[in-house]
Amino acid sequence: MRDRPVLLVIAHGSRDPRHAATVHALVERVRSLRPGLRVETGFLDFNVPSVHGVLESLAAEGARDVVALPLLLTRAFHAKADIPAVLRDAPARLRIRQAEVLGPSPLLLSALERRLYEAGLTPADKSSTGVVLASAGSSDPEAIAVIADIAREWWHTGWCAVRPAFASAGSPAGFPGTEDAVRELRALGCERVAVAPYVLAPGFLPDRIARGAAGADVLADVLGAAPEVARVLLERYDAAVRPALAALGA
């Protein structure tokens, strides 16, 4: 494999222009970390270019190998159904491997803490601060279990408490909304409460998280183009191409 496969970052898309701007900023950071790697961006909905359009363009240019990387934090419906369906319609000349989603990863926990510290906390605040791990939400059991595991793992790093919360209504996991999780941490006796959005880019559900954080002391920013997130993208890319490279002795 003389030429490295193209990395195609697949984002959901949003009517909120902040979403696409954040995705593009993250992709630019990935490019800066891996000069020479071709990185393209495609959206499932709302924004252009579409995933299908990017794949058509790559095939027309003569590209052969593509790693399709879902810009998702958990393996839920989009990773299991939507993206595979789009990739099945790709031009036949393309060899496409779908990389794993970004989470879970220790680097993402580091990025969450980076955002909390940027919002005003310090490492000395950990033991007295309760954190709401606020994600968009999912009905997928695998995704729900991952969020619960992340909250437990993060709590063991020294926070007063960590409560998972879903922005979407009617969580089958029984997770509270952000506002209720803030109240739970207050009742638990945490000296301060912080909300850490476990989301990649601004949009409708992150705005709902922000409204639910009105009673918290600290609201962190979305993960966005944090350097740790960019490093996770490259880790997932490398893991996807490694078997093919090993088979060719590269």
Side-chain angles (χ1 to χ4, degrees):
M1 187 177 297
R2 294 179 180 276
D3 297 321
R4 292 275 173 169
V6 176
L7 170 55
L8 171 58
V9 177
I10 300 180
H12 182 273
S14 172
R15 292 185 179 90
D16 189 323
R18 297 173 298 167
H19 175 91
T22 301
V23 170
H24 290 309
L26 174 59
V27 169
E28 282 302 317
R29 187 178 286 274
V30 172
R31 291 187 180 117
S32 72
L33 292 176
R34 188 71 61 86
L37 174 63
R38 181 171 180 179
V39 187
E40 300 290 342
T41 308
F43 295 90
L44 291 174
D45 206 354
F46 302 116
N47 303 107
V48 292
S50 68
V51 176
H52 183 73
V54 174
L55 292 171
E56 291 279 358
S57 295
L58 289 172
E61 293 174 21
R64 293 298 303 273
D65 293 287
V66 177
V67 170
L69 197 159
L71 197 60
L72 301 167
L73 294 171
T74 58
R75 269 180 48 82
F77 181 79
H78 293 306
K80 295 177 179 179
D82 281 355
I83 292 175
V86 172
L87 298 180
R88 282 194 295 270
D89 289 336
R93 68 168 283 119
L94 294 176
R95 292 188 294 256
I96 302 176
R97 289 181 290 282
Q98 182 175 330
E100 291 296 327
V101 298
L102 303 186
S105 167
L107 285 170
L108 294 178
L109 283 182
S110 297
L112 286 167
E113 294 205 357
R114 168 190 290 275
R115 294 304 189 219
L116 286 172
Y117 297 150
E118 288 171 350
L121 293 179
T122 70
D125 296 322
K126 290 184 74 167
S127 63
S128 57
T129 302
V131 179
V132 177
L133 178 68
S135 65
S138 175
S139 60
D140 185 281
E142 181 182 352
I144 291 168
V146 165
I147 297 299
D149 287 344
I150 291 171
R152 282 191 293 269
E153 179 181 348
W154 205 16
W155 171 56
H156 286 303
T157 67
W159 295 99
C160 173
V162 179
R163 290 287 186 272
F166 276 178
S168 55
S171 162
F175 291 166
T178 306
E179 185 175 4
D180 290 336
V182 169
R183 283 196 291 263
E184 286 182 15
L185 291 171
R186 293 281 188 212
L188 192 63
C190 297
E191 183 177 320
R192 66 183 64 79
V193 175
V195 174
Y198 190 58
V199 292
L200 286 165
F204 176 76
L205 290 177
D207 284 349
R208 180 180 287 178
I209 290 171
R211 290 193 297 272
D217 301 293
V218 172
L219 170 62
D221 199 359
V222 298
L223 294 172
E228 296 87 352
V229 179
R231 288 168 58 197
V232 176
L233 264 73
L234 289 172
E235 284 187 355
R236 298 294 183 257
Y237 171 84
D238 290 340
V241 301
R242 193 173 295 123
L245 291 173
L248 293 174

